[in-house]
Amino acid sequence: MTIQTEINQDDWNAYVQFIRNQMKKGVSKNTTAWVLAICFGSVIGFGATIAKIPIDFFSLVIGSFGTALWIIIVSRLRLKNMKEGMQPTENGAILGHCSINVGDEGIKTIIPNCETFYRWTTIRRSEMTDKHIFVLVDNIAAITIPRRSFSSADEGEKFLAEIRQHVRS
């Protein structure tokens, strides 16, 4: 199955928002990082106390907490820059006319400046939103397919079902 579509700036923004939402689902991972950092600091502080090494336990815990907080802030700022500061160019590898071919071996995307082939083993999963289908080829990389590319909702569902059939096998 091959579809022809046009990827525009709104599609890019939808992709960035999709990735942001995926990261928000990982909030429990952030909580785990915080707890592990504090526990690590506590263990080191407790060990230093038992070994009678002069160390300020409170400072160690606060330092661990601060490090975890710093990591979270930096990751959020990078994601914000992805949306605001790092926009794709009109003649680059993302925006413009795109042909997407789903075949037995994988998915091939063709835009004027490049061709990319993803074997089925590379495809992680696919998700449908109100306006797009995202085929994830890595944790933060996806093929973006606007649903407007299909002549009907049924055609979009068939396209997604074909992808999911290959990914499950």
Side-chain angles (χ1 to χ4, degrees):
M1 173 183 258
T2 301
I3 62 166
Q4 305 294 324
T5 191
E6 189 78 22
I7 306 296
N8 60 35
Q9 194 66 46
D10 289 338
D11 299 321
W12 167 256
N13 292 337
Y15 162 73
V16 171
Q17 188 60 47
F18 174 78
I19 295 299
R20 281 181 135 170
N21 292 340
Q22 296 302 302
M23 290 183 75
K24 287 178 184 175
K25 289 179 182 177
V27 167
S28 62
K29 291 179 184 176
N30 286 341
T31 303
T32 303
W34 284 60
V35 169
L36 288 175
I38 292 170
C39 288
F40 180 72
S42 299
V43 167
I44 289 175
F46 184 70
T49 302
I50 289 175
K52 298 188 182 199
I53 298 171
I55 188 169
D56 183 19
F57 180 73
F58 182 73
S59 295
L60 190 61
V61 171
I62 294 300
S64 298
F65 182 78
T67 300
L69 182 61
W70 179 254
I71 291 169
I72 291 168
I73 289 170
V74 167
S75 66
R76 298 282 177 172
L77 287 173
R78 286 189 178 177
L79 189 58
K80 183 179 178 186
N81 286 341
M82 184 177 168
K83 184 173 184 188
E84 295 174 2
M86 299 173 61
Q87 296 293 320
T89 59
E90 290 297 324
N91 60 349
I94 297 173
L95 301 180
H97 179 76
C98 183
S99 173
I100 302 166
N101 179 278
V102 176
D104 291 336
E105 300 294 318
I107 300 175
K108 182 176 185 176
T109 61
I110 303 171
I111 63 168
N113 294 327
C114 71
E115 295 181 17
T116 307
F117 181 75
Y118 303 96
R119 297 190 194 290
W120 288 119
T121 55
T122 304
I123 309 297
R124 307 269 196 245
R125 69 182 194 281
S126 56
E127 292 193 27
M128 184 182 287
T129 65
D130 291 341
K131 296 183 180 183
H132 296 88
I133 294 173
F134 297 102
V135 180
L136 280 90
V137 296
D138 206 333
N139 291 334
I140 60 166
I143 302 168
T144 302
I145 306 157
R147 290 183 65 184
R148 66 178 181 274
S149 308
F150 304 102
S151 59
S152 67
D154 188 49
E155 185 183 8
E157 292 286 341
K158 286 180 185 176
F159 181 82
L160 188 59
E162 185 171 345
I163 290 171
R164 288 182 174 164
Q165 174 189 357
H166 287 287
V167 172
R168 288 187 187 138
S169 53

